[in-house]
Amino acid sequence: SAVISQKPSRDICQRGTSLTIQCQVDSQVTMMFWYRQQPGQSLTLIATANQGSEATYESGFVIDKFPISRPNLTFSTLTVSNMSPEDSSIYLCSVQIRENSPLHFGNGTRLTVT
Amino acid sequence: GQNIDQPTEMTATEGAIVQINCTYQTSGFNGLFWYQQHAGEAPTFLSYNVLDGLEEKGRFSSFLSRSKGYSYLLLKELQMKDSASYLCAAMDSNYQLIWGAGTKLIIKP
């Protein structure tokens, strides 16, 4: 498995501002994903972070709101832009070493928007 | 469409055995994963099944029947620390994970 460092672990932000979440892996991985988890609910995939190209977004998520970077095989960022209280959630970075291997998760970023 | 079903909540007694069921419908199939998630923490990987049968790992076992689109997670000798949500996820033909809503397991002394 890989060691995943995600930061910040939590933040309280004001409406209208943006927050960038970083995900660093200790080894090269094939796939990196960003998930959101609302309190008491399961995981919702936001997008697949593609190395060297634009991320692939799931239905309901757009690049203007959630820009993603992945400059190499070990690092990715997710920005939550123009935040509103509805964006309050846990955001999780996850990685997959190869196509049919398990996902491993970072510790998550607990975001509160006031 | 693609779908995962698992019970919302289960209650069991410390020291007992509990079985958490999961049924799935996916476009193609590349395996079934179980994750454990304690409140306020990230999910952690428990097991992976791609062939029919039972995989045992200590107190936890996972079973898969591909023909029935069915899996279960079996937890033996339950401990209070096993109180958590258990997430079932199936991987489709595109290697995308389809997640269940999770089963909240409550362990009582």
Side-chain angles (χ1 to χ4, degrees):
Chain A
S1 64
V3 176
I4 306 165
S5 300
Q6 184 176 338
K7 55 183 182 182
S9 58
R10 59 179 63 230
D11 208 341
I12 301 172
C13 301
Q14 291 201 342
R15 181 196 297 260
T17 62
S18 298
L19 175 72
T20 295
I21 303 167
Q22 297 182 358
C23 180
Q24 177 74 56
V25 193
D26 69 339
S27 57
Q28 294 186 346
V29 294
T30 305
M31 309 288 280
M32 294 183 79
F33 305 92
W34 288 98
Y35 280 87
R36 183 170 75 181
Q37 188 173 32
Q38 306 279 19
Q41 297 187 21
S42 192
L43 302 165
T44 301
L45 181 63
I46 298 171
T48 301
N50 299 311
Q51 191 261 329
S53 65
E54 191 172 293
T56 305
Y57 289 85
E58 298 300 306
S59 175
F61 298 96
V62 294
I63 188 170
D64 290 345
K65 176 66 177 176
F66 296 101
I68 287 171
S69 79
R70 189 177 175 193
N72 55 52
L73 293 175
T74 63
F75 184 77
S76 178
T77 67
L78 167 75
T79 299
V80 186
S81 303
N82 188 25
M83 288 183 284
S84 67
E86 293 71 36
D87 295 321
S88 296
S89 187
I90 297 173
Y91 292 85
L92 292 154
C93 167
S94 70
V95 306
Q96 198 173 21
I97 296 171
R98 54 188 179 279
E99 266 187 329
N100 62 343
S101 64
L103 287 188
H104 295 280
F105 290 86
N107 288 331
T109 298
R110 184 181 296 273
L111 171 62
T112 303
V113 184
T114 60
Chain B
Q2 307 200 99
N3 192 51
I4 304 278
D5 282 316
Q6 54 181 128
T8 304
E9 187 174 297
M10 298 182 71
T11 302
T13 304
E14 190 177 15
I17 299 173
V18 71
Q19 177 175 312
I20 303 174
N21 296 325
C22 170
T23 59
Y24 63 89
Q25 288 179 303
T26 55
S27 302
F29 181 75
N30 277 301
L32 193 292
F33 297 83
W34 284 96
Y35 285 79
Q36 180 190 60
Q37 186 175 26
H38 285 101
E41 298 182 12
T44 55
F45 168 72
L46 287 178
S47 68
Y48 171 63
N49 295 67
V50 67
L51 300 176
D52 285 355
L54 188 68
E55 296 274 347
E56 296 187 72
K57 247 189 220 181
R59 293 190 299 115
F60 292 8
S61 303
S62 57
F63 172 83
L64 176 68
S65 169
R66 293 179 63 143
S67 63
K68 295 181 179 176
Y70 167 70
S71 173
Y72 67 72
L73 181 69
L74 191 72
L75 291 75
K76 302 176 186 176
E77 301 169 18
L78 286 169
Q79 302 175 9
M80 297 303 292
K81 67 178 183 179
D82 297 330
S83 293
S85 287
Y86 292 85
L87 306 173
C88 170
M91 184 172 277
D92 68 12
S93 57
N94 294 319
Y95 298 98
Q96 298 288 314
L97 277 178
I98 314 302
W99 291 89
T103 298
K104 182 177 180 181
L105 178 63
I106 300 167
I107 310 296
K108 295 187 173 177

